[in-house]
Amino acid sequence: DGILHFSFNVEEITDCASRWTGTVNISWYRAPVEVQPGDRLQLTVRLSKPGSTLNPGLFDYEGWLFSRGIQAGGYVRSNSKNELLESDSIAFPHHVLRYRIRQTMLGLLKESPVKGLLIALTIGETGQISKPAWHSLTRTGTNHLLIISGLHVGLVAAMIFKLLGLTPLSIRWVGVTTMIVTAFYALIAGFGLPVQRALIMTSAVLLAVSISRRVSTLTMFSASLLGVVMVQPFAVMSNGFWLSFGAVFSLIYAYNGKLMGNEGTGMLKVLLAAIRTQWVVYVAMFPLLLYLLSQASLVAFTVNLVAIPWISFLVIPWLLIFVAALPISTDISAASLS
């Protein structure tokens, strides 16, 4: 649409009575430069305090901005002094890497109808998904799969742990290395609230394995809850906080001290465990979704039974190969997306 939207970290304000620093959301119509993560810009902007309607049941946009530390919003005004001062890729290396992955995928996928979905599954950015596609994902209850979640982080950690387990490394080094690599993946994924929760919980498990200690599931859950609140105290204002931890707690409450899927053997046992797990989450989250979002999908249970295994075991591994091979060979990365 010719408008560039980005978050801007204010270092200094001139020609204004106010003197403050912080993060603002900026819109730039027909930007003459390509803004990238790490760029330092001098801009003439018009800012306004964030606000939203107070009607019950509507999205609390002001609270959403506050929970993310966004202090104001505005747009860039035409001025000859608007310029790029310098590019500092060291300041935000993970954002720079995410940007390069995004640009590479845009170049490789071009007009592919699944371009937006693959980018979302790789780095957690949903800006390339069209409104009709996002509406369809919401109606089927599968939009959570495109926001890098605990499912993705746990899957990555499990894959890395299994692969390192084949090496002569001791269990302690396997656990520590898995934590480091998983944390790197979390940064690439944008380090959102669900990723933070999953990373902290996964790290607690890996730490316990590394020192040969048994830690209860409830203790790991409480540790991740405390960790997220310490890192982002205002996360409790977001719906994602309650939905993310609510889904995990429902599983802990339902299966604490019990075995999932005792019936059957082999693939039947795995299938029954998946159905029971998905049913628990569906039943537990349905009223919470209605309360927080005023909407819930009636077909989410059935669709997720197919979508979750498909995304987890057939799509995510190839995307991880793409990211891992990107510094080595663009051809190999392109082959993993074809």
Side-chain angles (χ1 to χ4, degrees):
D1 56 0
I3 303 178
L4 182 64
H5 305 278
F6 58 94
S7 295
F8 191 77
N9 186 31
V10 179
E11 296 179 354
E12 181 182 355
I13 293 181
T14 60
D15 300 329
C16 181
S18 300
R19 290 292 186 271
W20 52 271
T21 57
T23 303
V24 298
N25 282 344
I26 295 294
S27 298
W28 196 351
Y29 180 64
R30 293 181 179 177
V33 297
E34 183 180 358
V35 179
Q36 302 181 20
D39 286 351
R40 296 184 71 248
L41 299 159
Q42 176 178 280
L43 302 173
T44 302
V45 300
R46 182 179 180 87
L47 297 176
S48 60
K49 294 181 179 180
S52 62
T53 57
L54 297 177
N55 295 337
L58 295 183
F59 177 65
D60 185 6
Y61 181 66
E62 185 177 356
W64 181 84
L65 291 175
F66 179 76
S67 67
R68 284 158 176 76
I70 307 297
Q71 299 183 8
Y75 61 91
V76 178
R77 303 182 65 178
S78 298
N79 193 304
S80 59
K81 295 182 180 180
N82 293 336
E83 62 176 331
L84 172 65
L85 300 178
E86 64 176 347
S87 295
D88 185 8
S89 59
I90 304 300
F92 304 97
H94 61 293
H95 286 308
V96 173
L97 179 58
R98 296 180 72 236
Y99 177 80
R100 291 177 178 174
I101 292 173
R102 173 185 180 273
Q103 294 302 102
T104 301
M105 295 186 75
L106 286 174
L108 293 174
L109 296 171
K110 297 180 180 178
E111 300 302 322
S112 171
V114 296
K115 174 179 61 178
L117 301 180
L118 293 180
I119 292 177
L121 286 169
T122 305
I123 62 174
E125 182 197 312
T126 58
Q128 295 296 319
I129 301 177
S130 64
K131 289 184 178 180
W134 188 256
H135 182 62
S136 298
L137 292 167
T138 302
R139 287 190 302 171
T140 57
T142 54
N143 53 342
H144 68 96
L145 294 174
L146 302 179
I147 304 172
I148 305 297
S149 64
L151 177 66
H152 302 86
V153 176
L155 177 64
V156 170
M159 291 173 58
I160 297 171
F161 189 85
K162 289 291 184 181
L163 290 174
L164 292 177
L166 301 176
T167 67
L169 292 173
S170 65
I171 189 65
R172 177 171 298 178
W173 282 108
V174 168
V176 172
T177 306
T178 302
M179 277 193 291
I180 295 174
V181 177
T182 305
F184 179 73
Y185 169 77
L187 289 175
I188 294 178
F191 209 60
L193 179 61
V195 175
Q196 292 177 27
R197 185 262 304 162
L199 178 62
I200 294 173
M201 184 173 287
T202 302
S203 298
V205 175
L206 292 171
L207 182 62
V209 171
S210 300
I211 61 177
S212 302
R213 294 287 299 273
R214 297 187 63 182
V215 181
S216 69
T217 306
L218 188 58
T219 299
M220 290 185 290
F221 174 82
S222 302
S224 63
L225 179 61
L226 176 62
V228 169
V229 173
M230 290 179 64
V231 174
Q232 290 189 347
F234 299 113
V236 295
M237 298 179 62
S238 68
N239 292 333
F241 176 88
W242 300 103
L243 294 173
S244 177
F245 282 100
V248 176
F249 183 77
S250 66
L251 291 173
I252 294 176
Y253 180 81
Y255 293 117
N256 190 28
K258 304 175 184 178
L259 296 177
M260 292 187 292
N262 290 326
E263 306 87 349
T265 58
M267 290 302 298
L268 178 60
K269 183 177 181 179
V270 173
L271 179 61
L272 291 174
I275 293 175
R276 292 176 61 185
T277 299
Q278 187 58 42
W279 179 249
V280 168
V281 174
Y282 178 76
V283 172
M285 301 307 293
F286 194 88
L288 191 58
L289 285 168
L290 288 177
Y291 176 74
L292 294 177
L293 305 179
S294 300
Q295 62 178 359
S297 174
L298 295 175
V299 299
F301 169 69
T302 305
V303 175
N304 276 286
L305 280 177
V306 178
I308 291 178
W310 178 271
I311 296 295
S312 300
F313 301 110
L314 295 179
V315 178
I316 295 296
W318 287 108
L319 293 177
L320 293 176
I321 293 174
F322 163 78
V323 174
L326 193 57
I328 302 173
S329 171
T330 305
D331 295 333
I332 298 177
S333 296
S336 67
L337 292 179
S338 60

